[in-house]
Amino acid sequence: MDEIKRNVPKTFDRVSRKLVYFLVLTALVATAAVGYTFLPEAEVSAQVADTKPGVEAEAPEVATQAMIDFAVGALHSASQYTVYAERGINDKGGSTVRGTKGDALRSAEGRKSTKELSNAIDAMRQLPCTELKSSDLTGKSFNPGVYCLNSAELAGEMTLDSAGNAAGVYVFRVAGSLNAKGGSSIKLENGAQGGNVFFVAEEAVIGNGASFRANILTKGNIEIGAGATVTDKAMSLGKVTMGDSAVLGGTTGTMEICKEQEAPQNGGGDQRPEGGVNPANDLSNQIFHFVVTGATSIGTPANP
């Protein structure tokens, strides 16, 4: 009996030690499992954090011609207007609009144009763009493309250079206001067309005597100063105010002259030289005079 009593503690002691070993082993396995679960994520996060400062960011998406054409084309029938304002046009006197003007106050067609203008503004604001750090455009030169900036200020001359591409389109996405000071101007070089230039802003002020060779599209009001010129469209979901002697519309464009003639033939009294043109249809050394009247708009490749 005493022998049994002596062996029981020993047996219990061995079982206790085994149980402790088992529990410790189980705890280690559990710890390893937890570490395996969370460690890779932490390592990946650390790698991402470490590489951000040293790795150059991917090149931003560039607006394709198809994207730009879609955004500009969203104007649809609203493109017929040279001056459009959903809430009305205020002429302070003596201004000239070379084209059609309209608003949403007097016609169903005008109200339809409000929706189209809104769609076009939204589409242009979604175009991928090159960010400009400065809001001052004075003295700067730009090639065709889409640019975005918080606000836009022009106190002198800016240049748009299409490098021989007359179809090049410029879109300036202005998050805030556009302010062209009095006497400021946009210079077009190497085929750049004012009809292909779009400033999309919350509101716009074009100062007295400024020469703004572009389209202006805004959600808020547009104010054109006295004697100022906007050669293309001024379209607003607010109001458009035109100062004394302001001129809007009348951008330059391209005229194509086509004249049909019969295919060259020889013999039978035909006066054309072999492979030549009938003298009656020959346009060489001719002088033409044109008078264009009643034009509602003058188009460009991006702004038909």
Side-chain angles (χ1 to χ4, degrees):
M1 188 66 178
D2 292 337
E3 182 70 21
I4 294 175
K5 288 181 180 181
R6 285 194 300 269
N7 291 334
V8 168
K10 292 181 180 180
T11 303
F12 180 77
D13 184 53
R14 287 195 298 271
V15 172
S16 298
R17 283 198 298 270
K18 290 181 180 179
L19 181 60
V20 170
Y21 294 153
F22 176 76
L23 292 175
V24 170
L25 180 60
T26 302
L28 291 173
V29 171
T31 302
V34 171
Y36 180 81
T37 302
F38 293 100
L39 185 58
E41 182 176 351
E43 288 177 349
V44 170
S45 300
Q47 290 173 1
V48 172
D50 290 340
T51 56
K52 281 183 179 179
V55 176
E56 188 173 329
E58 292 184 5
E61 183 183 0
V62 176
T64 64
Q65 190 61 50
M67 292 178 183
I68 295 173
D69 290 344
F70 175 83
V72 173
L75 280 171
H76 295 297
S77 63
S79 63
Q80 69 179 293
Y81 295 106
T82 298
V83 180
Y84 177 84
E86 179 184 3
R87 299 181 182 178
I89 299 171
N90 179 22
D91 186 353
K92 292 184 176 180
S95 65
T96 300
V97 176
R98 295 170 177 166
T100 301
K101 58 183 180 180
D103 56 43
L105 303 178
R106 298 174 179 82
S107 69
E109 184 67 23
R111 289 187 288 275
K112 175 185 176 184
S113 295
T114 292
K115 179 63 175 176
E116 293 172 337
L117 174 57
S118 178
N119 290 342
I121 290 174
D122 289 342
M124 290 187 195
R125 285 190 162 181
Q126 293 178 40
L127 291 172
C129 63
T130 299
E131 293 189 14
L132 302 180
K133 295 182 179 180
S134 173
S135 62
D136 187 3
L137 301 176
T138 308
K140 295 180 179 177
S141 179
F142 299 91
N143 298 121
V146 182
Y147 304 91
C148 52
L149 56 169
N150 292 328
S151 61
E153 301 282 341
L154 182 61
E157 183 180 77
M158 66 180 291
T159 302
L160 304 180
D161 188 342
S162 283
N165 179 16
V169 179
Y170 304 77
V171 178
F172 292 88
R173 287 175 38 192
V174 184
S177 60
L178 163 65
N179 188 356
K181 305 291 186 181
S184 60
S185 63
I186 297 177
K187 182 179 181 181
L188 304 178
E189 289 189 342
N190 297 318
Q193 303 289 322
N196 290 344
V197 184
F198 298 86
F199 279 81
V200 183
E202 279 297 311
E203 57 185 10
V205 176
I206 308 301
N208 297 342
S211 178
F212 205 79
R213 303 175 72 178
N215 299 280
I216 305 172
L217 280 62
T218 67
K219 286 195 170 183
N221 298 334
I222 299 175
E223 182 176 344
I224 311 297
T229 299
V230 177
T231 61
D232 294 274
K233 302 180 187 300
M235 307 187 72
S236 167
L237 295 175
K239 295 181 180 181
V240 173
T241 300
M242 301 181 293
D244 184 49
S245 301
V247 178
L248 291 91
T251 185
T252 57
T254 302
M255 178 181 290
E256 182 178 4
I257 302 173
C258 300
K259 184 175 177 62
E260 293 184 0
Q261 63 176 5
E262 298 178 3
Q265 297 178 359
N266 294 305
D270 196 334
Q271 300 179 18
R272 287 168 288 193
E274 184 176 356
V277 177
N278 189 320
N281 293 327
D282 189 358
L283 301 181
S284 60
N285 300 317
Q286 301 292 325
I287 298 175
F288 299 89
H289 298 276
F290 298 94
V291 177
V292 180
T293 61
T296 59
S297 63
I298 300 177
T300 66
N303 186 17

